[in-house]
């Protein structure tokens, strides 16, 4: 997060531990819903869990990315992923439940932020975001409506 925040890039594709980034042009503004669950995740533990899960796992193959194919939220949604999700959700079922509930609200994209525990969803409109907010209610934590810059 820190390298990105120190950059002047409006958007970046990051890999490794987030220290390697490719700056991309800004995407159209979008409605975002942040969910701050009442579940804490220790970053140190999360990195330990992911290291443990990778022991003996095959290395990923090469991947060629075309920056032109990352120009919309739908494009980003197809490519987006967070390796922490599987290991964190396995150890924090309440967080998995919150993620699943958020995903059921029909966003363009839904992910966990970093090593957790915050979740976010990107919506087509403010109205879609507000409908999602009403559907979720307070059950899974604090809901924070916002927009991309």
């Amino acid at each position: 997060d820190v390298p990105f925040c120190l950059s002047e890039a409006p958007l970046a594709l990051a890999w490794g531990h987030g220290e390697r980034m490719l700056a991309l042009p800004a995407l159209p503004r979008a409605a975002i819903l942040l969910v701050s669950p009442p579940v804490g995740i220790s970053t140190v533990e999360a990195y330990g869990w992911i290291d443990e899960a990778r022991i003996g796992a095959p290395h990923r193959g090469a991947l060629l990315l075309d920056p032109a194919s990352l120009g919309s939220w739908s494009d980003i949604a197809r490519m987006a992923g967070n390796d922490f999700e599987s290991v964190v959700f396995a150890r924090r079922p309440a967080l998995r439940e919150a993620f699943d509930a958020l995903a059921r609200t029909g966003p363009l994209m839904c992910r966990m932020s970093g090593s957790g525990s915050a979740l976010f969803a990107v919506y087509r409109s403010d109205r879609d975001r507000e409908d999602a907010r009403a559907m979720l209610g307070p059950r899974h934590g604090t809901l924070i409506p916002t927009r991309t810059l």
Side-chain angles (χ1 to χ4, degrees):
D1 295 349
V2 173
F4 174 76
C5 290
L6 293 176
S7 79
E8 294 184 16
L11 178 67
L13 176 66
W15 62 94
H17 289 263
E19 77 283 5
R20 296 175 182 214
M21 296 182 295
L22 171 65
L24 297 168
L27 292 171
R29 290 181 58 122
I32 307 289
L33 184 59
L34 302 174
V35 178
S36 179
V39 177
I41 305 295
S42 160
T43 301
V44 171
E45 279 186 313
Y47 271 94
W49 298 335
I50 207 163
D51 288 344
E52 179 183 302
R54 289 180 175 166
I55 293 173
H59 290 285
R60 293 181 179 162
L63 177 65
L64 176 64
L65 294 174
D66 178 5
S69 68
L70 300 172
S72 73
W73 284 107
S74 295
D75 293 337
I76 298 296
R78 280 192 296 277
M79 296 294 298
N82 183 338
D83 291 347
F84 283 104
E85 289 174 359
S86 61
V87 297
V88 169
F89 293 164
R91 289 167 176 83
R92 300 292 188 273
L95 190 55
R96 175 61 190 218
E97 183 181 324
F99 179 87
D100 289 345
L102 186 61
R104 285 191 301 271
T105 65
L108 292 170
M109 181 171 92
C110 181
R111 294 267 59 100
M112 182 173 74
S113 179
S115 59
S117 65
L119 307 170
F120 70 92
V122 179
Y123 295 91
R124 287 176 181 80
S125 68
D126 290 346
R127 174 78 172 157
D128 289 349
R129 180 197 58 214
E130 291 309 309
D131 288 348
R133 189 175 176 196
M135 286 170 52
L136 289 171
R139 180 172 181 212
H140 300 289
T142 303
L143 305 178
I144 305 161
T146 189
R147 293 187 59 76
T148 60
L149 297 176

